[in-house]
Amino acid sequence: MSLLEVRALSAGYGPVEVLHGIDLDVDHGEMVVILGANGAGKTTTMRAVSGMIGRSGSVTFDGVDITRTNAEKLVGMGIAHVPQGRGTFPDLTVMDNLRVGAYARSGGIAADIDRWFAVFPRLAERRDQRAGSLSGGEQQMLAIARALMSHPKLLLCDEPSLGLAPLITQEVFEVLKKLNADEGLSVLLVEQNANLALKVAQRVYLLETGTVVASGSAAQIASDDAIRKAYLGA
Amino acid sequence: MLRIDEGSTRHWLLRLLGFAVITFIVVWVPTQMSSSRIGQFTDAFILMIAAMSLNLVLGFTGQISIGHSAFFGIGGYTAAILIKDHGWSPGYTFYAAAVVAFVVGCVVALPALRIRGIYLALVTLAVAVLFPTLVRWKKLAWLTDGSKGMDSVRYEDVPVWPILGELKGREGRAVFMFWLGLIVVVATYLVCRGIVKSRFGRALVAIRDNETAAAVMGVNLTTTKVLVFGVSAALCALGGVLSTLKSGVITPDGQYVTLLGSIVFLLVMIVGGAGTLWGPIIGGLVYVWLDNTTRDIGTSDSGILGALFGWADQSPATLILGLVLVVIMFAAPYGLVGLAKRLGRKVVVIVPRPVGSSTPR
Ligand SMILES: Nc1ncnc2c1ncn2[C@@H]1O[C@H](COP(=O)(O)OP(=O)(O)O)[C@@H](O)[C@H]1O
Ligand SMILES: [Mg+2]
């Protein structure tokens, strides 16, 4: 059984339905990417999975039906969400941002902070700085480290490359890849930069106006001519 | 410019100096000043408490409330009713008022916090408007004495505290209220500080900075907001008790019980520095000082100020403070405390501890 099983997921905002019945799986230790144009519903999918918005259909996580579980509970169960636009807390220090990341649990927090400081040395240097004073890349690193503080089994990462210089984007993706390979962390990634995403992810879903129009292994998708034309701009 | 390492001996000396100055002022006021001057400080204490309580909700959590005058009034009325009708000793009414206001605060917050921004402002506004009306309501007159309010709500005899010596008459009462007020201010400050520096406090700032991100970190928005609203209401009620014990009266249109009170609390908090622990304290002092120095302006028809404010039959303090507020918003968006910090940094810099020394070696 997969770690995350999404079946016939519908979700939206108030009267507007954005997702019209999506099926999606993330296996243990897998890195899956959702590709799609602006407004396709990628962010909405992430929000629906992490329980931030109402949803119908069924969502199963680690064998447990979580369709009616709210966001705060899901953190404790092992779903961490790095929202689009990072969502770091600008007035809290780097340290305090990480502490809030561990809000759903207790014990060993200092050790965890040290652990992620080792992975993100630039955050360590800025530990007492307000998060608002960090660069975009540093904030993205902080957002990821903060999410990892909750000991997730599944990391939802929404467009980490948004607004970052290519070199920094690369760095962020290296880290994600390493976490996936070395720690066995399952990742559900949303990305506009398809070429980059296809290099790190194992499987791909293509989203178009709230519907999954294609899915397959990264290699399959990358070699499908029609898809290449439509989505990869080549 | 002076550079001082955080936690160094000099840093501690600097803190000690600050503490000594405050202690000196605090002892000097009630022993050397006239009782009316002492009373003005107590007025400042009352405002500090209310503004500190509002600061928890608005400054730290980012939830606007224009309803705090109602919690202030609830405190005052709880004290008045318990003392007059049930023969309570005034000191104990602080606890009762805090409990009552906590419960009311939570109940108000439950529906109010499902909404945000301008709508939350409107709901709390309704609470502020509703409270005096409710107090005046005929069917509640058995409890609140309706529009005429309640009087002689005070210590019959000021309790004897050995450390203060013997306190007699009007002067003695003023001195006693000063110390009582100071205790409540310090207690309120410590509660706020404890909250802000705790895990719960980090959650508050997280909610203020980014509500949705806070939720996906596992912060329960409703519980957290309701709790902080309740605690804030309880603290604000302490200010109400103090105010009632000081003046001995409370009426539905008394000071800070009406909507105007909420506005004053807002002014005090913002002028001092929203989201800072010391902001409401500085704001309270500045407001009362302005209120008293401007009170006589316009009573004599001479001079520029007379020409400017002579038409007003009330103290233009609020108007002047409003103007000061506008100026401060431009000059010091983080209030007087923010400004002081910025200017202070040009004189003394506290250098944070270097990386890797967060735990003592
Ligand atoms: N908070 C919101 N309220 C109402 N509609 C929204 C909201 N967020 C997104 N939408 C709408 O949902 C659709 C999908 O948006 P989104 O999931 O953000 O797309 P993507 O992340 O793929 O760019 C868009 O049409 C967008 O206008
Ligand atoms: Mg998006």
Side-chain angles (χ1 to χ4, degrees):
Chain A
M1 195 183 357
S2 302
L3 178 63
L4 178 74
E5 286 185 10
V6 173
R7 293 291 173 268
L9 174 70
S10 297
Y13 306 92
V16 186
E17 189 180 89
V18 173
L19 303 178
H20 316 290
I22 297 189
D23 291 351
L24 186 151
D25 288 88
V26 180
D27 262 331
H28 292 272
E30 203 182 17
M31 177 120 129
V32 174
V33 64
I34 302 176
L35 295 176
N38 240 333
K42 305 182 296 295
T43 296
T44 307
T45 307
M46 298 296 239
R47 287 184 181 146
V49 169
S50 73
M52 278 165 66
I53 55 175
R55 55 208 168 165
S56 59
S58 98
V59 184
T60 313
F61 181 69
D62 221 2
V64 182
D65 182 5
I66 56 162
T67 316
R68 315 224 168 283
T69 315
N70 58 18
E72 303 103 55
K73 287 239 179 66
L74 289 180
V75 186
M77 293 175 67
I79 298 184
H81 187 163
V82 180
Q84 181 173 323
R86 327 189 207 307
T88 46
F89 306 116
D91 290 330
L92 290 179
T93 62
V94 168
M95 285 282 260
D96 279 346
N97 264 273
L98 295 177
R99 289 190 182 117
V100 174
Y103 195 81
R105 61 187 195 85
S106 57
I109 290 170
D112 274 355
I113 290 180
D114 286 345
R115 176 173 169 214
W116 298 123
F117 275 168
V119 177
F120 304 99
R122 243 165 341 146
L123 295 182
E125 289 163 28
R126 290 162 176 62
R127 62 172 66 196
D128 292 319
Q129 236 168 281
R130 283 177 60 247
S133 68
L134 301 184
S135 74
E138 287 160 356
Q139 288 197 24
Q140 187 62 60
M141 303 282 189
L142 177 59
I144 294 172
R146 186 185 61 178
L148 294 170
M149 287 296 294
S150 68
H151 288 182
K153 294 177 195 150
L154 175 67
L155 185 72
L156 308 175
C157 207
D158 196 346
E159 285 206 49
S161 67
L162 196 74
L164 298 188
L167 222 58
I168 311 287
T169 307
Q170 242 98 92
E171 222 175 294
V172 171
F173 272 74
E174 293 291 312
V175 169
L176 288 176
K177 196 172 172 178
K178 220 171 117 200
L179 287 169
N180 175 245
D182 299 356
E183 319 262 339
L185 180 70
S186 308
V187 180
L188 180 58
L189 179 71
V190 159
E191 201 32 77
Q192 294 242 18
N193 186 336
N195 289 310
L196 198 57
L198 286 174
K199 284 198 194 104
V200 295
Q202 286 115 50
R203 262 175 347 99
V204 180
Y205 289 89
L206 280 180
L207 205 60
E208 212 173 273
T209 55
T211 316
V212 173
V213 291
S215 64
S217 74
Q220 275 171 347
I221 296 289
S223 61
D224 187 312
D225 279 346
I227 290 174
R228 284 183 67 89
K229 273 223 177 66
Y231 290 93
L232 309 184
Chain B
M1 190 174 69
L2 204 58
R3 295 180 73 85
I4 296 179
D5 289 330
E6 186 184 352
S8 66
T9 317
R10 284 160 92 197
H11 187 208
W12 278 106
L13 281 176
L14 199 69
R15 284 180 177 174
L16 201 66
L17 183 71
F19 187 73
V21 169
I22 292 171
T23 311
F24 175 76
I25 295 172
V26 154
V27 174
W28 189 62
V29 168
T31 50
Q32 307 297 325
M33 287 187 155
S34 69
S35 58
S36 72
R37 215 4 93 90
I38 296 172
Q40 288 169 12
F41 272 88
T42 312
D43 288 337
F45 291 160
I46 291 165
L47 277 179
M48 289 174 194
I49 295 160
M52 276 194 271
S53 78
L54 181 62
N55 198 23
L56 269 188
V57 166
L58 181 50
F60 288 104
T61 321
Q63 311 297 311
I64 192 157
S65 167
I66 315 180
H68 268 54
S69 55
F71 303 131
F72 190 89
I74 285 172
Y77 268 99
T78 305
I81 291 165
L82 289 176
I83 293 168
K84 296 277 288 185
D85 299 350
H86 301 275
W88 278 44
S89 154
Y92 292 106
T93 62
F94 280 104
Y95 304 100
V99 171
V100 172
F102 177 82
V103 173
V104 176
C106 289
V107 170
V108 167
L110 256 178
L113 293 176
R114 298 205 158 272
I115 54 182
R116 292 183 206 176
I118 190 75
Y119 298 102
L120 179 56
L122 283 176
V123 169
T124 54
L125 173 78
V127 171
V129 173
L130 194 67
F131 181 73
T133 318
L134 210 60
V135 167
R136 254 189 227 109
W137 193 26
K138 282 201 183 69
K139 294 198 170 151
L140 278 179
W142 60 274
L143 188 66
T144 62
D145 285 358
S147 333
K148 81 173 161 55
M150 304 172 85
D151 59 9
S152 334
V153 191
R154 48 157 58 115
Y155 284 97
E156 283 301 330
D157 293 300
V158 171
V160 180
W161 289 353
I163 194 171
L164 297 182
E166 209 179 339
L167 299 174
K168 280 226 174 77
R170 245 172 59 86
E171 258 98 289
R173 193 184 296 278
V175 171
F176 177 79
M177 286 311 297
F178 176 93
W179 288 109
L180 186 63
L182 184 71
I183 290 171
V184 184
V185 166
V186 171
T188 306
Y189 172 83
L190 290 177
V191 169
C192 290
R193 188 187 152 87
I195 288 176
V196 167
K197 305 245 171 203
S198 73
R199 173 172 174 275
F200 183 65
R202 283 195 294 274
L204 300 182
V205 178
I207 288 177
R208 179 188 74 189
D209 280 0
N210 192 329
E211 198 166 307
T212 36
V216 291
M217 294 299 114
V219 176
N220 186 317
L221 298 181
T222 311
T223 312
T224 311
K225 287 187 197 171
V226 165
L227 267 182
V228 76
F229 220 86
V231 171
S232 169
L235 293 176
C236 195
L238 299 182
V241 176
L242 198 62
S243 165
T244 304
L245 290 182
K246 176 175 181 278
S247 64
V249 293
I250 183 155
T251 64
D253 38 35
Q255 200 183 23
Y256 307 142
V257 174
T258 60
L259 179 62
L260 187 64
S262 293
I263 308 294
V264 173
F265 302 158
L266 267 172
L267 283 177
V268 168
M269 185 198 74
I270 293 171
V271 165
T276 65
L277 283 168
W278 280 88
I281 293 174
I282 305 300
L285 285 174
V286 169
Y287 182 88
V288 171
W289 177 74
L290 269 175
D291 190 30
N292 284 290
T293 47
T294 52
R295 181 161 291 164
D296 298 329
I297 294 173
T299 47
S300 69
D301 289 334
S302 61
I304 298 174
L305 289 171
L308 273 177
F309 297 113
W311 52 270
D313 55 357
Q314 272 186 341
S315 162
T318 315
L319 179 67
I320 293 179
L321 198 72
L323 294 176
V324 172
L325 175 74
V326 173
V327 172
I328 287 178
M329 295 306 267
F330 281 100
Y334 298 100
L336 293 172
V337 165
L339 184 71
K341 273 188 189 158
R342 218 175 60 207
L343 296 179
R345 226 168 277 144
K346 295 192 172 153
V347 186
V348 182
V349 173
I350 308 292
V351 185
R353 269 174 254 198
V355 173
S357 65
S358 59
T359 43
R361 276 147 294 181

